[in-house]
Structures are given as structure tokens and as C-alpha cells.
Amino acid sequence: MRTTTGWRADGPAATLRQAPLERRDLRADDIAVRVERCGVCHTDLHSINNADGAVVPGHEFTGTVTEIGSAVAGFAVGDAVAVGNIVDSCGQCAMCLAGQENFCHEFPTMTYGGTDRHDGTTTLGGYAREYVVRESFAYALPDGLDPAAAAPLLCAGVTVWEPLRALGVGPGSRVAVAGLGGLGHLAVKFAVALGAEVAVISRTPDKLDDALELGARDLIVSTEDDRMAASRESFDVVIDTISAAHDLGSYLRLVAVDGTLAVVGHLGPISLEAMDLLVGRKKLTAAGSGGRPATRAMLEFCAEHDLVADVEVLPSAQVNEALERLGRGDVRYRFVLDMSDLD
């Protein structure tokens, strides 16, 4: 085993503390990555608050290759890389063979809180100075992308990229994005870059300037009944990034005939009236993360369009402050930790 340093919570809702962490020795197809920037995802907060034992969060990070296994062909020491929230899969099921490792029938191995498929240990995340990962689940970081602003692309970015591409969003598409946070602001940027006409749905009008700055053409205030009614059946695709439980009916009513509501923010139980789907042959879908081909395509698209997340970078020693602020929504739009203070 090899030792590094990271930030660990030792129980539910615990304050993270700096601690030594063990990483496996490199297998033949592994690379060791010096983690330089790691995004702070709402999933991290949820995992800490509901931890069953110790947890080291962090599943969207960028860094530099420091060592390679004997069979590694795609990376060399010194390469800039990015790692997301999936670090392994069975590689044999229909989903893996189709490049949808995020839907692996045996469930993918997550970057933290997962079970290593070889030795059964629990994976520890990227709130650390080093991570060891299979080369096939690491991605070359394109030249020109800022490592801090690119880190959230590996979770928030691919989570919204997946439905936008699967639903064929492009020039002429009418897209609404519900919620303007870590997921939502990237959904707006992607949809605009894909050529769609984009609107933002928010509970209050105070996000108007932000929405327009991101490239949206309009803001719809969800608490204004008249405005919601006037926007009925106006969108081919609605990307719902809202993390809290909420009524889907009001968003389905915004979807045009044969359009789709894609839920990517809330992962809990949902309820809806069948009539909200029936009237207009509307479709309800969901997405989470992305497979390896989609992740590579997203990074190439981002490099081509100079597209990254809007981030606030903090030294990793301020991780607990970042999590507390994230919990009350005080972030625009993603915290990223600078891990260099762990040296």
C-alpha cells in the first residue's frame, strides 16, 4: 500500500479532518494521479450527512500523472488528466459494451464509497493529494481548459451533457433549464453552445442577469402562475436540475407535444399524474453521469467551445466552510478545492 493525505469524515454529519489515507499499489493498468483541483458536489454533502462510517468524498477532479503501471499505454508521467465519479465497471454487460458504464448491470464502482472489484476495499475519493485509478477511467485533460474550472465537468458537466445529447438537442431546439446551480448553469452553457434557444426556470427573478450572462434568452419565474401558464408547451426539452423533492407536473406542462422532461437533480421518489404525460404524448426521463465515450466527447466539446464551470476556488483546508456554504446555497456555481496545501 501507499500513503497519501486527505480529508475524511468519520461519521454522519461529521466535520472533515485531515488524515493519512491508504491507496493501493499500482496494478498493471493503473495510473497514480496527483490531485490538484477537486470539485465539491452536492452528493458529497449528502454522503457526509448520511455516512455509515468513514467517508472521503470527491468525485470530480483534475491532476497530473505521477506514475504508471506496466501495461499502461494511454498516459505518461506528467500528463494532465481528469477523473469523474466512476472508476470501474464490469466491462462485460450490454451497457458496458455499449459505452454506458454508468448503467453497468453490476453497478459501476464509484470514486468513493464504492467497492473495489479486485480486493473488496472501499474506495476513497478525491479530497486527497493522490488517487490511484484504472487508466481506462481517466481522461486526458484537453489543452486550454483551466484545471479548476474543468473539474466539475467530470460530474455536473457529464450529468447534463448525457440527456442533452441523447435527446438530440441542437440548432432549433427549445430548451428550458430548471434550477440555476452547479448542474443548471452547465446545462445552460451546453444547450446554448449546441445551438438551442434556452430559457431558465427559477423560483425568483433575481437570477435574470445570471441567466442572460450564461446565454439564456429568458427567465421564467416558477412562482408566477400567469407566466408559467403562458409558457405552456413551449419547450422541446426541459432539463430539471432541482435537487429537492418537487412537483413535476408544473414542469411537464411546459413541455411541447412529443417533448421530454429530463430529471437529473432529484434522486428520490417522485409522483406525478399520468394525465400530465398523456396530454401531448410527453416523455419523462432521467440521467446520471455518463459512460466513457460520452465523457470524452464532452471534454472535446468543451475544449472546442472554451466551455468550463463557473467556480470559486478555496484551499482544501476550507473544505468544511465550502460544505456549510453549499448546504445553504451560497455558491456561484461550484466550489473547487485546491489540494496543494496538503503537501
Side-chain angles (χ1 to χ4, degrees), residues 156-174:
V158 73
T159 295
V160 295
W161 172 261
E162 175 104 350
L164 287 169
R165 298 308 288 144
L167 296 171
V169 168
S173 298
R174 299 168 300 167

Side-chain angles (χ1 to χ4, degrees), residues 49-134:
N49 288 338
N50 297 276
D52 181 15
V55 59
V56 177
H59 61 200
E60 48 180 45
F61 59 87
T62 57
T64 303
V65 177
T66 58
E67 189 177 345
I68 63 173
S70 59
V72 170
F75 294 103
V77 172
D79 285 351
V81 295
V83 177
N85 54 13
I86 297 171
V87 292
D88 206 354
S89 70
C90 79
Q92 300 176 342
C93 71
M95 289 293 97
C96 288
L97 294 175
Q100 295 282 180
E101 294 85 359
N102 49 325
F103 303 139
C104 175
H105 289 173
E106 293 185 8
F107 201 79
T109 302
M110 310 310 288
T111 309
Y112 68 88
T115 301
D116 185 276
R117 307 182 91 85
H118 296 270
D119 61 23
T121 58
T122 299
T123 56
L124 306 177
Y127 286 12
R129 196 50 166 150
E130 181 182 74
Y131 198 94
V132 174
V133 61
R134 287 185 64 194

Side-chain angles (χ1 to χ4, degrees), residues 32-336:
V33 179
R34 183 178 69 241
V35 182
E36 292 165 354
R37 304 288 188 270
C38 185
V40 180
C41 177
H42 204 277
T43 300
D44 300 343
L45 184 61
H46 175 81
S47 298
I48 294 165
N49 288 338
N50 297 276
D52 181 15
V55 59
V56 177
H59 61 200
E60 48 180 45
F61 59 87
T62 57
T64 303
V65 177
T66 58
E67 189 177 345
I68 63 173
S70 59
V72 170
F75 294 103
V77 172
D79 285 351
V81 295
V83 177
N85 54 13
I86 297 171
V87 292
D88 206 354
S89 70
C90 79
Q92 300 176 342
C93 71
M95 289 293 97
C96 288
L97 294 175
Q100 295 282 180
E101 294 85 359
N102 49 325
F103 303 139
C104 175
H105 289 173
E106 293 185 8
F107 201 79
T109 302
M110 310 310 288
T111 309
Y112 68 88
T115 301
D116 185 276
R117 307 182 91 85
H118 296 270
D119 61 23
T121 58
T122 299
T123 56
L124 306 177
Y127 286 12
R129 196 50 166 150
E130 181 182 74
Y131 198 94
V132 174
V133 61
R134 287 185 64 194
E135 71 160 326
S136 53
F137 285 86
Y139 306 91
L141 184 66
D143 293 339
L145 290 186
D146 175 71
L153 298 176
L154 276 294
C155 176
V158 73
T159 295
V160 295
W161 172 261
E162 175 104 350
L164 287 169
R165 298 308 288 144
L167 296 171
V169 168
S173 298
R174 299 168 300 167
V175 175
V177 176
L180 197 60
L183 290 170
H185 90 287
L186 284 171
V188 172
K189 288 188 176 189
F190 282 146
V192 169
L194 288 166
E197 180 179 321
V198 183
V200 169
I201 307 169
S202 179
R203 289 176 297 177
T204 61
D206 60 5
K207 294 290 182 73
L208 175 61
D209 289 344
D210 286 352
L212 297 177
E213 183 179 342
L214 291 168
R217 298 188 183 184
D218 197 8
L219 179 84
I220 299 167
V221 180
S222 61
T223 54
E224 295 179 358
D225 294 341
D226 291 347
R227 184 65 200 282
M228 290 289 282
S231 301
R232 181 172 178 171
E233 299 175 357
S234 294
F235 301 101
D236 305 303
V237 173
V238 176
I239 303 293
D240 182 349
T241 74
I242 301 167
S243 60
H246 57 285
D247 173 40
L248 298 185
S250 58
Y251 298 98
L252 277 166
R253 287 188 282 277
L254 301 180
V255 175
V257 173
D258 291 323
T260 303
L261 172 64
V263 177
V264 298
H266 178 58
L267 300 181
I270 61 173
S271 62
L272 67 146
E273 295 291 336
M275 289 295 291
D276 287 327
L277 289 172
L278 184 154
V279 178
R281 291 192 303 267
K282 298 172 184 180
K283 296 177 280 291
L284 175 65
T285 188
S289 190
R292 291 182 294 166
T295 304
R296 285 192 291 268
M298 176 205 63
L299 286 170
E300 292 168 3
F301 182 86
C302 289
E304 179 183 352
H305 293 271
D306 193 23
L307 194 160
V308 289
D310 291 0
V311 301
E312 179 179 343
V313 181
L314 297 174
S316 77
Q318 292 180 231
V319 59
N320 290 296
E321 175 190 335
L323 290 165
E324 187 275 329
R325 287 178 56 192
L326 176 62
R328 53 186 170 89
D330 179 22
V331 55
R332 186 180 178 276
Y333 289 98
R334 202 75 157 185
F335 286 119
V336 172

